[in-house]
């Protein structure tokens, strides 16, 4: 690993205070996200990761759909805090919704039956790598991001609103935008509780 990569890994943080003023043109951000996902590795080169990139009003619509679903399950007396959190997400410039194509997973299970139980797990690895790749790529350009998980609550609304194929399984949503306030200090657990080195 180069010092460059570790510097970028350190720069990548969860940023909640996001704004709409991106340091790049929207098309450049879209290309960046696509290329980061394209270059992310996947088991058997399955390329099972899919993405819906939402900007502007489309991004805000996603969070309004999420708000409507949460309103059905969050008690009214607790909803104000939830609503404020959603306002913060909607304040970002855009979002990336990450999916895994289950048709790819099923096809690999049929093709390589001996590994059938592993392909859903490896698919989750693929989406995690794709999410991290996008996050680091955005951080390198000075774009903040945070990762959220309101699936499966919003799955049907997303599928219907943006005509998403039924085989795409929603895994996460990443908001991105200008950094309005930095992340807080990050702490790390002790190495001796986390790593085992054998020589």
């Amino acid at each position: 690993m180069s010092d460059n990569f570790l510097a970028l890994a350190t720069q990548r943080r969860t940023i909640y205070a996001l704004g709409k003023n991106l340091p790049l043109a929207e098309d450049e951000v879209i290309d960046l996200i696509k290329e980061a996902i394209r270059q992310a590795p996947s088991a058997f080169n399955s390329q099972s990761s899919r993405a819906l990139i939402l900007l502007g009003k489309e991004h805000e619509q996603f969070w309004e759909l999420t708000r409507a679903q949460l309103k059905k399950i969050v008690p009214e007396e607790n909803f104000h805090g939830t609503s404020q959190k959603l306002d913060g997400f909607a304040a970002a410039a855009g979002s990336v919704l990450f999916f895994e194509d289950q048709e790819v997973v099923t096809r690999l299970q049929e093709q390589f039956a001996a590994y059938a139980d592993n392909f859903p797990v490896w698919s989750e690895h693929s989406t995690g790598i794709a999410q991290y790749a996008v996050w680091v790529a955005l951080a390198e350009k000075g774009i903040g991001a945070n990762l959220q998980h309101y699936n499966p609550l919003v799955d049907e609304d997303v599928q219907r609103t943006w005509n998403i194929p039924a085989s795409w399984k929603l895994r996460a949503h990443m908001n991105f935008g200008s950094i309005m306030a930095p992340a807080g200090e990050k702490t790390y657990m002790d190495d001796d509780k986390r790593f085992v080195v054998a020589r």
Side-chain angles (χ1 to χ4, degrees), residues 108-130:
L108 286 168
Q109 287 177 309
E110 293 168 352
Q111 192 174 353
F112 302 99
Y115 303 113
D117 291 345
N118 291 322
F119 283 111
V121 178
W122 292 339
S123 169
E124 293 300 307
H125 295 174
S126 295
T127 190
I129 294 168

Side-chain angles (χ1 to χ4, degrees), residues 25-94:
E26 285 185 354
D27 284 344
E28 291 179 275
V29 176
I30 292 167
D31 288 344
L32 179 74
I33 292 166
K34 288 179 177 179
E35 187 62 15
I37 294 171
R38 189 179 291 118
Q39 296 304 329
S42 58
F44 287 61
N45 193 30
S46 59
Q47 301 178 51
S48 53
S49 294
R50 306 286 182 265
L52 168 63
I53 303 168
L54 301 173
L55 292 151
K57 297 295 183 188
E58 298 291 320
H59 159 75
E60 292 171 9
Q61 183 180 5
F62 170 74
W63 287 109
E64 285 310 309
L65 292 172
T66 306
R67 190 188 311 272
Q69 289 298 334
L70 285 169
K71 207 160 193 177
K72 296 175 186 177
I73 61 170
V74 176
E76 190 174 343
E77 62 272 18
N78 298 336
F79 193 72
H80 179 69
T82 298
S83 189
Q84 284 186 314
K85 184 188 286 188
L86 297 176
D87 288 344
F89 298 150

Side-chain angles (χ1 to χ4, degrees), residues 166-180:
S167 65
W168 290 21
K169 185 178 182 182
L170 185 58
R171 307 313 299 136
H173 338 101
M174 182 181 290
N175 300 302
F176 60 86
S178 50
I179 299 172
M180 307 306 290

